[in-house]
């Protein structure tokens, strides 16, 4: 088991009977959707609204197009389609309470599209209480641990993580506070109650680069399909996460599709710092992100409710 557990409040239990194993195999259940959406400091309770760089088109679908702003949160399941470079960061205001994350979903989250997303927060960049599926897009999730003590800090936290369709994920967690446990990707070692496997990682012909002082990936089990470990050498899944050949938890985990090496010197627009030739690094450039113009008139914002909060304890 892990050195620390990422616990959730009782509020989450109300939203755990949504989707099941079909989320991992084929995406979110069509029967569920988000009951509310928090974005850029405002809370909405009905789809059909939009703002600069975003549109909540229906209950289970949010579109981001060159969006750059404060945290996004939703109750229920959500599919987010990414176009262009997008970024979300931990909320700095007291209008709503999203637990120190850039993107937080109290259900199943699917990220897809041709674009990218950079999510940053002090405790986690992205938190999905149930499954997180990255399907073909580029995701960079970072947590710096600022002001965090006696908690898990991770770039990405989820009940389960699936990266497929050539998706590319970089996740990193850091922190110097007392009792901080830092992971790149941390998969919850508690059952969210939806009947599906929890604490698991699955990579299908895609990329993952995860770094943390206590573990690159903290998980109970994992599987690779048409993919392989680049680091650590001789890597394997164990009950504490990804282990090196000596059985120790690896602090840097790199997974890539099989047979992906390209010609020496050939550049890839997704190359990450330190990546080898032909290896996408999933990096994004937040400085290049600009909100698109939106001529639509935003509807009146309804009063925000207090959002559930996550915490991690040893």
């Amino acid at each position: 088991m892990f050195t620390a557990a990422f616990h959730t409040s009782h509020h989450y239990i109300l939203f755990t009977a949504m989707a099941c194993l079909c989320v991992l195999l084929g995406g979110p259940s069509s029967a569920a959707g988000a009951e509310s959406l928090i974005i850029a400091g405002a809370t909405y309770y009905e789809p059909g609204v939009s703002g600069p760089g975003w549109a909540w088109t229906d209950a289970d679908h949010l579109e981001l197009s060159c969006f750059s702003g404060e945290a996004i949160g939703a109750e229920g399941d959500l599919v987010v389609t990414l176009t262009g470079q997008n970024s979300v960061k931990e909320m700095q205001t007291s209008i709503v309470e999203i637990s120190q994350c850039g993107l937080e979903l109290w259900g199943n989250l699917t990220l897809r599209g041709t674009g990218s997303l950079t999510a940053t927060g002090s405790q986690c960049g992205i938190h999905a209480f149930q499954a997180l599926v990255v399907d073909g897009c580029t995701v960079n999730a970072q947590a710096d641990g600022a002001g965090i003590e006696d908690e898990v800090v991770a770039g990405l936290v989820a009940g389960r993580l699936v990266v497929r369709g050539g998706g590319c994920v970089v996740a990193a967690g850091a922190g110097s506070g007392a009792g901080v446990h830092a992971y790149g990707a941390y998969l919850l070692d508690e059952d969210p109650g939806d009947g599906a496997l929890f604490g698991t990682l699955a990579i299908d012909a895609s990329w993952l680069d995860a770094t943390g002082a206590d573990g690159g990936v903290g998980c109970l089990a994992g599987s690779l399909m048409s993919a392989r470990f680049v680091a650590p050498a001789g890597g394997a899944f164990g009950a504490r996460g990804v282990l090196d050949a000596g059985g120790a938890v690896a602090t840097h985990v790199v997974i890539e599709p099989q047979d992906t090496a390209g010609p020496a010197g050939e550049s890839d627009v997704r190359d990450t710092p330190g990546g080898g030739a032909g290896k996408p690094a999933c990096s994004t450039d937040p400085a290049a992100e600009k909100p698109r113009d939106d001529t639509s008139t935003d509807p009146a914002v309804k009063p925000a409710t207090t959002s559930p909060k996550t915490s991690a304890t040893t």
Side-chain angles (χ1 to χ4, degrees), residues 29-305:
S29 168
S30 59
E35 298 183 9
S36 63
L37 175 72
I38 300 168
I39 186 166
T43 301
Y44 301 89
Y45 298 97
E46 297 290 340
V49 294
S50 63
W54 66 273
W56 187 20
T57 57
D58 50 63
D60 60 0
H61 189 207
L62 174 67
E63 296 178 355
L64 296 182
S65 179
C66 299
F67 174 83
S68 179
E70 290 190 333
I72 297 175
E75 293 182 351
D77 299 342
L78 194 63
V79 175
V80 180
T81 299
L82 304 172
T83 303
Q85 292 183 327
N86 301 274
S87 68
V88 289
K89 59 184 180 181
E90 178 180 338
M91 190 166 292
Q92 303 299 313
T93 66
S94 59
I95 298 175
V96 293
E97 183 184 17
I98 293 180
S99 58
Q100 301 166 308
C101 299
L103 174 58
E104 189 164 13
L105 230 295
W106 309 296
N108 296 292
L109 171 63
T110 295
L111 299 173
R112 68 183 187 186
T114 59
S116 65
L117 175 67
T118 297
T120 57
S122 54
Q123 187 172 3
C124 57
I126 298 175
H127 178 202
F129 181 56
Q130 294 179 305
L132 170 59
V133 177
V134 176
D135 192 353
C137 57
T138 296
V139 173
N140 192 331
Q142 306 286 326
D144 60 16
I148 304 296
E149 293 185 352
D150 299 317
E151 311 255 0
V152 165
V153 171
L156 185 155
V157 176
R160 300 167 294 280
L161 172 62
V162 177
V163 188
R164 66 190 185 196
C168 202
V169 173
V170 168
S176 58
V180 164
H181 300 272
Y183 291 84
Y186 187 85
L187 305 183
L188 298 169
D189 59 345
E190 57 186 50
D191 190 348
D194 61 1
L197 298 175
F198 63 98
T200 59
L201 168 68
I203 307 293
D204 184 355
S206 297
W207 287 264
L208 174 69
D209 189 327
T211 307
D214 290 274
V217 176
C219 64
L220 297 176
S223 63
L224 302 181
M225 181 177 294
S226 300
R228 64 187 180 92
F229 284 110
V230 175
F237 290 105
R240 296 174 295 150
V242 174
L243 311 179
D244 62 22
V249 176
T251 58
H252 186 202
V253 176
V254 178
I255 298 170
E256 69 177 21
Q258 293 176 337
D259 305 321
T260 57
E266 182 175 313
S267 175
D268 190 302
V269 295
R270 295 187 296 174
D271 281 353
T272 50
K279 174 185 175 294
C282 320
S283 62
T284 59
D285 182 9
E289 298 162 6
K290 297 180 181 179
R292 65 175 172 83
D293 294 331
D294 194 308
T295 57
S296 63
T297 302
D298 291 344
V301 180
K302 298 182 181 180
T305 58

